[in-house]
Amino acid sequence: MLDFKKIIDIAYSSAIFVASLAANNNESWLFGAQGGYSYSDNAKYFFEWILDNHEQEQCFWVTKDKEIYKDLLSKELPVLYFYDIKNILSIAKAKYIVCTHSHTGNDIYKFINKSKVLITLWHGIPLKKMGKASQRKYLNYLNIKNTPDLFLVTSVKDAELFSELYHISIDKFFIGTYPRVNNLISRAEDNNTILYAPTFRDGMGQDYYDKNIFPSTNELENLNEMLVKFDYHFLIKMHPYVDASFPSLTNYSNINIIPAFEDVQDALSKASVLITDYSSIYFDYLNLDREIIFFIPDYEWYYQESNRGLLYNYEDVTPGYKAKSWNEIQNSLAEIFKGNKPSEFAESRSKILNMFFSKKNLNNDDLFNKCKSINYNN
């Protein structure tokens, strides 16, 4: 069956590509995330930073989502709606293409002319295993970029990993700091909240989460009672790919849920404690040097090679409390709330931070200057 949405996407991408062959590049920037359907992540924070710090640069967020388009317009941010024929030439002329979820430009449009500067900021340090991308060598004959001119990573180990996975020359990697991490550090505050942000389980639905991950009514009651006692709030941010609904929170005064597609950055910057599992969100959070609880009730299942599997020995790279039940989460929180002793994980947090962020001294200025130094036709 034909996918009409995909056909339209290819048609617009093709029109932009053809226009880009005839049009001269200008110095403008285009930014996008998650295939054009999100305003988030490193692209968002680099986009906003350039707008604030380099007013001479012409920048546009490109989206395929009408609601995002309307929202950014209402905030007076420069935005282009992808499926508008009037925007084809503006998109085609832009020199810098900045993505987070694609190393080939697909966050904005599918076929990137080789005269463009394609920048991949990526969306996180990998903890879970990833599959290799297929090589698209045929694109070399069509004047279409197959790999980025710059791929942002935070360590040499990630450069080597992505180089192998995506067939990208090692000299295309820039080791720096994610724009979203720079943003996280700059806005950090502690307001007595706990953020629970688990990742998704491939192919698992409501039954699996109810049985293995989600708390019972009794566990929620006990947790809420403790939160009230210590004056803390508990925020839940499910991964957008989780195919399950968290239990109703109507009766719990200090427990709330954040919409799955909402940007997690604000909640993360304010969290006193992060609870996660196999999500790479904790790598960013290490930069705040705060307590982490790793809730892994299904570790034996998740770690299997037949499932996702992990790139590292889990215990070696997860500096924090380990919990396999909601009662154990509550016990760990009680220790943290009482604050009777210095964190036993402070030293290991620093060690893992330095392992995965090897150039913390570099910032958005360094990334911007590197992007601007890239010549056409790289």
Side-chain angles (χ1 to χ4, degrees):
M1 184 176 178
L2 291 176
D3 187 332
F4 183 71
K5 189 176 180 181
K6 188 174 290 186
I7 292 171
I8 294 296
D9 192 74
I10 291 173
Y12 269 87
S13 290
S14 299
I16 292 166
F17 174 69
V18 171
S20 74
L21 295 175
N24 292 324
N25 287 340
N26 57 30
E27 292 292 314
S28 61
W29 300 67
L30 302 180
F31 297 80
Q34 291 191 3
Y37 291 96
S38 177
Y39 181 60
S40 63
D41 224 290
N42 286 314
K44 169 186 174 179
Y45 293 104
F46 196 39
F47 169 65
E48 293 182 353
W49 179 86
I50 293 178
L51 290 177
D52 289 340
N53 293 275
H54 294 276
E55 294 181 359
Q56 77 281 6
E57 300 293 329
Q58 188 176 37
C59 300
F60 297 97
W61 189 270
V62 180
T63 182
K64 299 172 184 176
D65 186 293
K66 267 284 179 68
E67 294 307 311
I68 292 174
Y69 175 70
K70 292 175 184 176
D71 182 57
L72 295 185
L73 271 185
S74 70
K75 295 174 180 175
E76 299 185 342
L77 290 171
V79 58
L80 297 173
Y81 183 57
F82 181 78
Y83 298 119
D84 186 337
I85 197 168
K86 297 192 298 293
N87 292 330
I88 287 177
L89 196 56
S90 295
I91 295 173
K93 285 184 173 182
K95 174 181 177 180
Y96 300 98
I97 312 296
V98 185
C99 302
T100 58
H101 290 72
S102 170
H103 65 287
T104 59
N106 196 41
D107 286 342
I108 299 175
Y109 61 102
K110 291 185 179 299
F111 314 119
I112 308 296
N113 185 331
K114 284 186 177 179
S115 70
K116 309 298 183 183
V117 176
L118 178 57
I119 299 158
T120 297
L121 302 182
W122 206 241
H123 53 277
I125 297 169
L127 176 64
K128 297 168 280 193
K129 287 186 176 178
M130 303 165 63
K132 274 192 175 184
S134 58
Q135 286 186 283
R136 307 189 303 167
K137 292 182 178 179
Y138 63 91
L139 295 180
N140 294 329
Y141 303 101
L142 300 175
N143 202 36
I144 296 173
K145 276 192 184 290
N146 196 24
T147 57
D149 299 295
L150 182 150
F151 194 123
L152 176 63
V153 292
T154 61
S155 67
V156 172
K157 63 168 69 241
D158 278 0
E160 293 171 344
L161 172 68
F162 285 116
S163 177
E164 180 181 355
L165 288 176
Y166 295 141
H167 317 288
I168 300 170
S169 173
I170 198 71
D171 64 353
K172 299 297 183 182
F173 290 88
F174 177 70
I175 301 173
T177 303
Y178 287 146
R180 73 179 188 206
V181 169
N182 293 323
N183 176 272
L184 179 70
I185 294 169
S186 69
R187 68 195 292 190
E189 57 181 286
D190 186 339
N191 68 351
N192 280 25
T193 62
I194 297 101
L195 174 63
Y196 173 46
T199 192
F200 64 99
R201 274 73 173 164
D202 290 302
M204 295 295 109
Q206 191 71 51
D207 289 346
Y208 182 87
Y209 281 87
D210 287 340
K211 182 179 179 181
N212 298 285
I213 310 297
F214 292 158
S216 66
T217 300
N218 187 55
E219 287 167 334
L220 282 171
E221 289 173 353
N222 291 338
L223 175 62
N224 193 68
E225 185 178 312
M226 185 180 74
L227 294 167
V228 171
K229 177 181 177 181
F230 287 97
D231 193 26
Y232 273 78
H233 281 79
F234 194 98
L235 299 178
I236 300 157
K237 170 66 168 64
M238 302 304 293
H239 193 285
Y241 295 166
V242 170
D243 186 22
S245 298
F246 202 85
S248 172
L249 299 173
T250 304
N251 299 321
Y252 309 108
S253 60
N254 287 38
I255 307 176
N256 298 98
I257 196 157
I258 301 171
F261 284 92
E262 188 171 304
D263 192 344
V264 74
Q265 197 79 356
D266 184 58
L268 191 64
S269 69
K270 296 175 181 176
S272 312
V273 181
L274 172 67
I275 303 174
T276 189
D277 44 22
Y278 321 104
S279 169
S280 62
I281 191 174
Y282 81 89
F283 287 118
D284 288 10
Y285 193 71
L286 285 172
N287 287 274
L288 302 186
D289 192 25
R290 296 176 183 173
E291 299 288 2
I292 306 171
I293 299 172
F294 294 92
F295 179 44
I296 48 172
D298 57 349
Y299 174 79
E300 287 74 17
W301 173 83
Y302 196 95
Y303 192 72
Q304 294 174 26
E305 290 294 325
S306 57
N307 292 322
R308 269 297 182 116
L310 302 173
L311 290 167
Y312 309 100
N313 182 299
Y314 189 75
E315 191 62 36
D316 290 346
V317 296
T318 50
Y321 297 86
K322 303 298 188 299
K324 291 203 168 186
S325 70
W326 282 87
N327 285 335
E328 290 181 10
I329 287 178
Q330 192 167 326
N331 292 338
S332 298
L333 286 173
E335 279 193 42
I336 294 169
F337 292 165
K338 291 173 184 176
N340 293 330
K341 58 181 180 180
S343 172
E344 61 185 284
F345 301 106
E347 185 177 339
S348 55
R349 284 200 301 267
S350 177
K351 176 185 174 182
I352 301 304
L353 175 65
N354 291 328
M355 181 187 303
F356 287 96
F357 289 87
S358 56
K359 292 191 176 180
K360 298 189 297 296
N361 59 310
L362 298 187
N363 55 30
N364 290 343
D365 286 300
D366 300 291
L367 175 60
F368 176 80
N369 291 333
K370 181 64 177 178
C371 292
K372 294 291 284 187
S373 73
I374 299 172
N375 296 318
Y376 294 106
N377 302 315
N378 273 16

PDB file of all heavy atoms in Angstrom, residues 11 27 60 75 80 109 113 119 131 170 172 184 190 195 209 225 238 269 283 291 304 308 313 316 336 351 372:
ATOM      1  N   ALA A  11       8.639  13.987  -2.616  1.00  0.00           N
ATOM      2  CA  ALA A  11       8.398  14.975  -3.675  1.00  0.00           C
ATOM      3  C   ALA A  11       8.969  16.339  -3.286  1.00  0.00           C
ATOM      4  O   ALA A  11       9.653  16.995  -4.091  1.00  0.00           O
ATOM      5  CB  ALA A  11       6.901  15.080  -3.955  1.00  0.00           C
ATOM      6  N   GLU A  27      24.373  32.184   3.246  1.00  0.00           N
ATOM      7  CA  GLU A  27      25.030  31.813   4.505  1.00  0.00           C
ATOM      8  C   GLU A  27      24.031  31.417   5.590  1.00  0.00           C
ATOM      9  O   GLU A  27      24.370  31.400   6.778  1.00  0.00           O
ATOM     10  CB  GLU A  27      25.889  32.985   4.998  1.00  0.00           C
ATOM     11  CG  GLU A  27      27.107  33.276   4.132  1.00  0.00           C
ATOM     12  CD  GLU A  27      28.152  32.166   4.212  1.00  0.00           C
ATOM     13  OE1 GLU A  27      28.466  31.720   5.333  1.00  0.00           O
ATOM     14  OE2 GLU A  27      28.643  31.744   3.150  1.00  0.00           O
ATOM     15  N   PHE A  60      16.838  29.377  10.566  1.00  0.00           N
ATOM     16  CA  PHE A  60      15.441  28.958  10.497  1.00  0.00           C
ATOM     17  C   PHE A  60      15.298  27.559  11.084  1.00  0.00           C
ATOM     18  O   PHE A  60      16.125  26.687  10.824  1.00  0.00           O
ATOM     19  CB  PHE A  60      14.939  28.916   9.045  1.00  0.00           C
ATOM     20  CG  PHE A  60      14.946  30.238   8.347  1.00  0.00           C
ATOM     21  CD1 PHE A  60      16.002  30.581   7.518  1.00  0.00           C
ATOM     22  CD2 PHE A  60      13.904  31.136   8.522  1.00  0.00           C
ATOM     23  CE1 PHE A  60      16.017  31.799   6.857  1.00  0.00           C
ATOM     24  CE2 PHE A  60      13.908  32.362   7.870  1.00  0.00           C
ATOM     25  CZ  PHE A  60      14.971  32.698   7.037  1.00  0.00           C
ATOM     26  N   LYS A  75       5.922  32.580  19.118  1.00  0.00           N
ATOM     27  CA  LYS A  75       7.062  33.002  19.945  1.00  0.00           C
ATOM     28  C   LYS A  75       8.029  33.891  19.166  1.00  0.00           C
ATOM     29  O   LYS A  75       9.100  34.237  19.669  1.00  0.00           O
ATOM     30  CB  LYS A  75       7.794  31.768  20.477  1.00  0.00           C
ATOM     31  CG  LYS A  75       6.957  30.937  21.441  1.00  0.00           C
ATOM     32  CD  LYS A  75       7.662  29.646  21.827  1.00  0.00           C
ATOM     33  CE  LYS A  75       6.800  28.830  22.789  1.00  0.00           C
ATOM     34  NZ  LYS A  75       7.408  27.508  23.086  1.00  0.00           N
ATOM     35  N   LEU A  80      10.250  27.763   9.252  1.00  0.00           N
ATOM     36  CA  LEU A  80       9.735  27.463   7.919  1.00  0.00           C
ATOM     37  C   LEU A  80       8.938  26.166   7.983  1.00  0.00           C
ATOM     38  O   LEU A  80       9.401  25.178   8.559  1.00  0.00           O
ATOM     39  CB  LEU A  80      10.882  27.300   6.914  1.00  0.00           C
ATOM     40  CG  LEU A  80      11.771  28.518   6.659  1.00  0.00           C
ATOM     41  CD1 LEU A  80      12.953  28.125   5.774  1.00  0.00           C
ATOM     42  CD2 LEU A  80      10.981  29.649   6.023  1.00  0.00           C
ATOM     43  N   TYR A 109      15.513  17.614   5.124  1.00  0.00           N
ATOM     44  CA  TYR A 109      15.039  17.020   3.874  1.00  0.00           C
ATOM     45  C   TYR A 109      15.978  15.903   3.449  1.00  0.00           C
ATOM     46  O   TYR A 109      17.102  15.798   3.933  1.00  0.00           O
ATOM     47  CB  TYR A 109      14.839  18.063   2.768  1.00  0.00           C
ATOM     48  CG  TYR A 109      16.054  18.852   2.325  1.00  0.00           C
ATOM     49  CD1 TYR A 109      16.726  18.528   1.147  1.00  0.00           C
ATOM     50  CD2 TYR A 109      16.495  19.960   3.038  1.00  0.00           C
ATOM     51  CE1 TYR A 109      17.809  19.271   0.705  1.00  0.00           C
ATOM     52  CE2 TYR A 109      17.572  20.716   2.609  1.00  0.00           C
ATOM     53  CZ  TYR A 109      18.233  20.365   1.441  1.00  0.00           C
ATOM     54  OH  TYR A 109      19.306  21.104   1.011  1.00  0.00           O
ATOM     55  N   ASN A 113      22.395  18.349  -1.141  1.00  0.00           N
ATOM     56  CA  ASN A 113      23.386  18.690  -2.164  1.00  0.00           C
ATOM     57  C   ASN A 113      24.793  18.710  -1.546  1.00  0.00           C
ATOM     58  O   ASN A 113      24.989  19.185  -0.430  1.00  0.00           O
ATOM     59  CB  ASN A 113      23.015  20.080  -2.711  1.00  0.00           C
ATOM     60  CG  ASN A 113      23.883  20.517  -3.865  1.00  0.00           C
ATOM     61  OD1 ASN A 113      25.037  20.133  -3.982  1.00  0.00           O
ATOM     62  ND2 ASN A 113      23.312  21.353  -4.714  1.00  0.00           N
ATOM     63  N   ILE A 119      25.709  19.132   9.240  1.00  0.00           N
ATOM     64  CA  ILE A 119      26.189  19.053  10.621  1.00  0.00           C
ATOM     65  C   ILE A 119      25.254  18.150  11.419  1.00  0.00           C
ATOM     66  O   ILE A 119      24.045  18.398  11.494  1.00  0.00           O
ATOM     67  CB  ILE A 119      26.232  20.457  11.257  1.00  0.00           C
ATOM     68  CG1 ILE A 119      27.193  21.363  10.473  1.00  0.00           C
ATOM     69  CG2 ILE A 119      26.624  20.380  12.728  1.00  0.00           C
ATOM     70  CD1 ILE A 119      26.931  22.832  10.667  1.00  0.00           C
ATOM     71  N   GLY A 131      22.433  -0.730  15.694  1.00  0.00           N
ATOM     72  CA  GLY A 131      22.701  -1.465  14.468  1.00  0.00           C
ATOM     73  C   GLY A 131      23.507  -0.640  13.482  1.00  0.00           C
ATOM     74  O   GLY A 131      23.461   0.591  13.492  1.00  0.00           O
ATOM     75  N   ILE A 170      36.912   9.294  10.375  1.00  0.00           N
ATOM     76  CA  ILE A 170      37.146   9.734  11.754  1.00  0.00           C
ATOM     77  C   ILE A 170      37.472  11.223  11.829  1.00  0.00           C
ATOM     78  O   ILE A 170      37.215  11.876  12.847  1.00  0.00           O
ATOM     79  CB  ILE A 170      38.274   8.889  12.401  1.00  0.00           C
ATOM     80  CG1 ILE A 170      38.241   9.003  13.933  1.00  0.00           C
ATOM     81  CG2 ILE A 170      39.630   9.254  11.836  1.00  0.00           C
ATOM     82  CD1 ILE A 170      37.082   8.310  14.590  1.00  0.00           C
ATOM     83  N   LYS A 172      35.956  13.573  10.476  1.00  0.00           N
ATOM     84  CA  LYS A 172      34.732  14.374  10.421  1.00  0.00           C
ATOM     85  C   LYS A 172      34.125  14.597  11.812  1.00  0.00           C
ATOM     86  O   LYS A 172      33.145  15.341  11.949  1.00  0.00           O
ATOM     87  CB  LYS A 172      33.687  13.706   9.528  1.00  0.00           C
ATOM     88  CG  LYS A 172      34.119  13.539   8.076  1.00  0.00           C
ATOM     89  CD  LYS A 172      34.345  14.868   7.395  1.00  0.00           C
ATOM     90  CE  LYS A 172      34.698  14.685   5.920  1.00  0.00           C
ATOM     91  NZ  LYS A 172      34.970  15.977   5.257  1.00  0.00           N
ATOM     92  N   LEU A 184      21.757  22.916  29.963  1.00  0.00           N
ATOM     93  CA  LEU A 184      21.404  22.278  31.233  1.00  0.00           C
ATOM     94  C   LEU A 184      22.207  22.871  32.386  1.00  0.00           C
ATOM     95  O   LEU A 184      21.660  23.214  33.441  1.00  0.00           O
ATOM     96  CB  LEU A 184      21.662  20.771  31.135  1.00  0.00           C
ATOM     97  CG  LEU A 184      21.367  19.922  32.373  1.00  0.00           C
ATOM     98  CD1 LEU A 184      19.870  19.838  32.609  1.00  0.00           C
ATOM     99  CD2 LEU A 184      21.960  18.519  32.212  1.00  0.00           C
ATOM    100  N   ASP A 190      17.894  23.534  41.957  1.00  0.00           N
ATOM    101  CA  ASP A 190      17.427  22.382  42.732  1.00  0.00           C
ATOM    102  C   ASP A 190      16.132  22.778  43.426  1.00  0.00           C
ATOM    103  O   ASP A 190      16.131  23.626  44.311  1.00  0.00           O
ATOM    104  CB  ASP A 190      18.496  21.988  43.758  1.00  0.00           C
ATOM    105  CG  ASP A 190      18.152  20.702  44.498  1.00  0.00           C
ATOM    106  OD1 ASP A 190      16.964  20.339  44.530  1.00  0.00           O
ATOM    107  OD2 ASP A 190      19.065  20.071  45.050  1.00  0.00           O
ATOM    108  N   LEU A 195      12.974  13.214  39.180  1.00  0.00           N
ATOM    109  CA  LEU A 195      12.545  12.941  37.815  1.00  0.00           C
ATOM    110  C   LEU A 195      12.754  11.468  37.509  1.00  0.00           C
ATOM    111  O   LEU A 195      13.864  10.951  37.633  1.00  0.00           O
ATOM    112  CB  LEU A 195      13.340  13.788  36.821  1.00  0.00           C
ATOM    113  CG  LEU A 195      13.079  13.501  35.334  1.00  0.00           C
ATOM    114  CD1 LEU A 195      11.630  13.820  34.966  1.00  0.00           C
ATOM    115  CD2 LEU A 195      14.047  14.288  34.451  1.00  0.00           C
ATOM    116  N   TYR A 209       4.753  -3.651  30.850  1.00  0.00           N
ATOM    117  CA  TYR A 209       5.048  -2.546  31.768  1.00  0.00           C
ATOM    118  C   TYR A 209       4.285  -2.694  33.079  1.00  0.00           C
ATOM    119  O   TYR A 209       4.822  -2.423  34.158  1.00  0.00           O
ATOM    120  CB  TYR A 209       4.728  -1.207  31.098  1.00  0.00           C
ATOM    121  CG  TYR A 209       5.806  -0.761  30.136  1.00  0.00           C
ATOM    122  CD1 TYR A 209       5.798  -1.184  28.806  1.00  0.00           C
ATOM    123  CD2 TYR A 209       6.844   0.060  30.554  1.00  0.00           C
ATOM    124  CE1 TYR A 209       6.795  -0.798  27.923  1.00  0.00           C
ATOM    125  CE2 TYR A 209       7.846   0.457  29.683  1.00  0.00           C
ATOM    126  CZ  TYR A 209       7.818   0.025  28.366  1.00  0.00           C
ATOM    127  OH  TYR A 209       8.815   0.406  27.495  1.00  0.00           O
ATOM    128  N   GLU A 225       3.192   9.246  50.157  1.00  0.00           N
ATOM    129  CA  GLU A 225       3.243   9.560  51.589  1.00  0.00           C
ATOM    130  C   GLU A 225       4.641  10.042  51.988  1.00  0.00           C
ATOM    131  O   GLU A 225       4.789  11.015  52.744  1.00  0.00           O
ATOM    132  CB  GLU A 225       2.859   8.309  52.390  1.00  0.00           C
ATOM    133  CG  GLU A 225       2.753   8.528  53.886  1.00  0.00           C
ATOM    134  CD  GLU A 225       2.314   7.261  54.608  1.00  0.00           C
ATOM    135  OE1 GLU A 225       1.329   6.627  54.158  1.00  0.00           O
ATOM    136  OE2 GLU A 225       2.972   6.893  55.603  1.00  0.00           O
ATOM    137  N   MET A 238       7.817   9.610  30.467  1.00  0.00           N
ATOM    138  CA  MET A 238       7.984   8.389  29.692  1.00  0.00           C
ATOM    139  C   MET A 238       8.625   8.704  28.342  1.00  0.00           C
ATOM    140  O   MET A 238       8.455   9.796  27.794  1.00  0.00           O
ATOM    141  CB  MET A 238       6.635   7.702  29.470  1.00  0.00           C
ATOM    142  CG  MET A 238       5.896   7.338  30.751  1.00  0.00           C
ATOM    143  SD  MET A 238       6.847   6.287  31.873  1.00  0.00           S
ATOM    144  CE  MET A 238       6.954   4.780  30.916  1.00  0.00           C
ATOM    145  N   SER A 269      16.851  19.889  34.514  1.00  0.00           N
ATOM    146  CA  SER A 269      17.681  20.939  35.117  1.00  0.00           C
ATOM    147  C   SER A 269      17.288  21.224  36.561  1.00  0.00           C
ATOM    148  O   SER A 269      18.100  21.716  37.347  1.00  0.00           O
ATOM    149  CB  SER A 269      17.585  22.226  34.294  1.00  0.00           C
ATOM    150  OG  SER A 269      16.298  22.805  34.393  1.00  0.00           O
ATOM    151  N   PHE A 283      23.827  10.450  31.358  1.00  0.00           N
ATOM    152  CA  PHE A 283      25.130  11.008  30.989  1.00  0.00           C
ATOM    153  C   PHE A 283      25.085  12.535  31.053  1.00  0.00           C
ATOM    154  O   PHE A 283      26.002  13.173  31.570  1.00  0.00           O
ATOM    155  CB  PHE A 283      25.535  10.552  29.587  1.00  0.00           C
ATOM    156  CG  PHE A 283      25.947   9.106  29.494  1.00  0.00           C
ATOM    157  CD1 PHE A 283      25.245   8.221  28.697  1.00  0.00           C
ATOM    158  CD2 PHE A 283      27.049   8.639  30.196  1.00  0.00           C
ATOM    159  CE1 PHE A 283      25.626   6.891  28.596  1.00  0.00           C
ATOM    160  CE2 PHE A 283      27.444   7.309  30.103  1.00  0.00           C
ATOM    161  CZ  PHE A 283      26.729   6.432  29.305  1.00  0.00           C
ATOM    162  N   GLU A 291      22.498  13.039  42.659  1.00  0.00           N
ATOM    163  CA  GLU A 291      22.259  11.611  42.872  1.00  0.00           C
ATOM    164  C   GLU A 291      21.418  10.990  41.749  1.00  0.00           C
ATOM    165  O   GLU A 291      20.490  11.618  41.218  1.00  0.00           O
ATOM    166  CB  GLU A 291      21.545  11.388  44.203  1.00  0.00           C
ATOM    167  CG  GLU A 291      22.324  11.873  45.423  1.00  0.00           C
ATOM    168  CD  GLU A 291      23.527  10.999  45.748  1.00  0.00           C
ATOM    169  OE1 GLU A 291      23.800  10.028  45.015  1.00  0.00           O
ATOM    170  OE2 GLU A 291      24.196  11.295  46.754  1.00  0.00           O
ATOM    171  N   GLN A 304      20.178  -9.158  27.483  1.00  0.00           N
ATOM    172  CA  GLN A 304      20.378 -10.257  26.540  1.00  0.00           C
ATOM    173  C   GLN A 304      20.691  -9.738  25.140  1.00  0.00           C
ATOM    174  O   GLN A 304      20.137  -8.739  24.693  1.00  0.00           O
ATOM    175  CB  GLN A 304      19.122 -11.131  26.469  1.00  0.00           C
ATOM    176  CG  GLN A 304      18.815 -11.879  27.748  1.00  0.00           C
ATOM    177  CD  GLN A 304      17.487 -12.615  27.653  1.00  0.00           C
ATOM    178  OE1 GLN A 304      17.050 -12.969  26.567  1.00  0.00           O
ATOM    179  NE2 GLN A 304      16.849 -12.827  28.786  1.00  0.00           N
ATOM    180  N   ARG A 308      18.035  -5.519  23.151  1.00  0.00           N
ATOM    181  CA  ARG A 308      18.909  -4.413  22.796  1.00  0.00           C
ATOM    182  C   ARG A 308      20.376  -4.737  23.118  1.00  0.00           C
ATOM    183  O   ARG A 308      21.266  -4.563  22.310  1.00  0.00           O
ATOM    184  CB  ARG A 308      18.485  -3.147  23.547  1.00  0.00           C
ATOM    185  CG  ARG A 308      17.492  -2.271  22.812  1.00  0.00           C
ATOM    186  CD  ARG A 308      18.089  -1.740  21.526  1.00  0.00           C
ATOM    187  NE  ARG A 308      17.170  -0.869  20.828  1.00  0.00           N
ATOM    188  CZ  ARG A 308      17.382   0.418  20.601  1.00  0.00           C
ATOM    189  NH1 ARG A 308      18.472   0.991  21.004  1.00  0.00           N
ATOM    190  NH2 ARG A 308      16.505   1.124  19.940  1.00  0.00           N
ATOM    191  N   ASN A 313      29.867  -2.783  30.283  1.00  0.00           N
ATOM    192  CA  ASN A 313      29.464  -3.458  31.507  1.00  0.00           C
ATOM    193  C   ASN A 313      28.651  -2.462  32.332  1.00  0.00           C
ATOM    194  O   ASN A 313      29.158  -1.407  32.728  1.00  0.00           O
ATOM    195  CB  ASN A 313      30.697  -3.923  32.287  1.00  0.00           C
ATOM    196  CG  ASN A 313      30.327  -4.675  33.548  1.00  0.00           C
ATOM    197  OD1 ASN A 313      29.673  -4.142  34.440  1.00  0.00           O
ATOM    198  ND2 ASN A 313      30.747  -5.918  33.633  1.00  0.00           N
ATOM    199  N   ASP A 316      29.884  -0.912  35.592  1.00  0.00           N
ATOM    200  CA  ASP A 316      31.082  -0.073  35.476  1.00  0.00           C
ATOM    201  C   ASP A 316      30.770   1.377  35.110  1.00  0.00           C
ATOM    202  O   ASP A 316      31.581   2.268  35.385  1.00  0.00           O
ATOM    203  CB  ASP A 316      32.034  -0.651  34.416  1.00  0.00           C
ATOM    204  CG  ASP A 316      32.676  -1.950  34.858  1.00  0.00           C
ATOM    205  OD1 ASP A 316      32.611  -2.273  36.061  1.00  0.00           O
ATOM    206  OD2 ASP A 316      33.232  -2.656  33.988  1.00  0.00           O
ATOM    207  N   ILE A 336      18.735   9.393  50.582  1.00  0.00           N
ATOM    208  CA  ILE A 336      19.117  10.678  49.984  1.00  0.00           C
ATOM    209  C   ILE A 336      18.449  11.834  50.722  1.00  0.00           C
ATOM    210  O   ILE A 336      19.088  12.845  51.036  1.00  0.00           O
ATOM    211  CB  ILE A 336      18.737  10.694  48.488  1.00  0.00           C
ATOM    212  CG1 ILE A 336      19.568   9.659  47.718  1.00  0.00           C
ATOM    213  CG2 ILE A 336      18.943  12.089  47.896  1.00  0.00           C
ATOM    214  CD1 ILE A 336      19.077   9.407  46.298  1.00  0.00           C
ATOM    215  N   LYS A 351      34.373  10.211  37.754  1.00  0.00           N
ATOM    216  CA  LYS A 351      35.151   9.336  36.873  1.00  0.00           C
ATOM    217  C   LYS A 351      34.413   9.062  35.564  1.00  0.00           C
ATOM    218  O   LYS A 351      34.990   9.162  34.470  1.00  0.00           O
ATOM    219  CB  LYS A 351      35.450   8.022  37.595  1.00  0.00           C
ATOM    220  CG  LYS A 351      36.178   6.997  36.743  1.00  0.00           C
ATOM    221  CD  LYS A 351      36.339   5.676  37.493  1.00  0.00           C
ATOM    222  CE  LYS A 351      36.942   4.602  36.590  1.00  0.00           C
ATOM    223  NZ  LYS A 351      37.049   3.291  37.298  1.00  0.00           N
ATOM    224  N   LYS A 372      31.687  27.104  11.075  1.00  0.00           N
ATOM    225  CA  LYS A 372      31.952  28.195  10.134  1.00  0.00           C
ATOM    226  C   LYS A 372      33.256  27.994   9.363  1.00  0.00           C
ATOM    227  O   LYS A 372      33.441  28.581   8.289  1.00  0.00           O
ATOM    228  CB  LYS A 372      32.000  29.530  10.883  1.00  0.00           C
ATOM    229  CG  LYS A 372      30.677  29.963  11.490  1.00  0.00           C
ATOM    230  CD  LYS A 372      29.644  30.340  10.446  1.00  0.00           C
ATOM    231  CE  LYS A 372      29.920  31.695   9.851  1.00  0.00           C
ATOM    232  NZ  LYS A 372      28.819  32.146   8.948  1.00  0.00           N
TER     233      LYS A 372
END
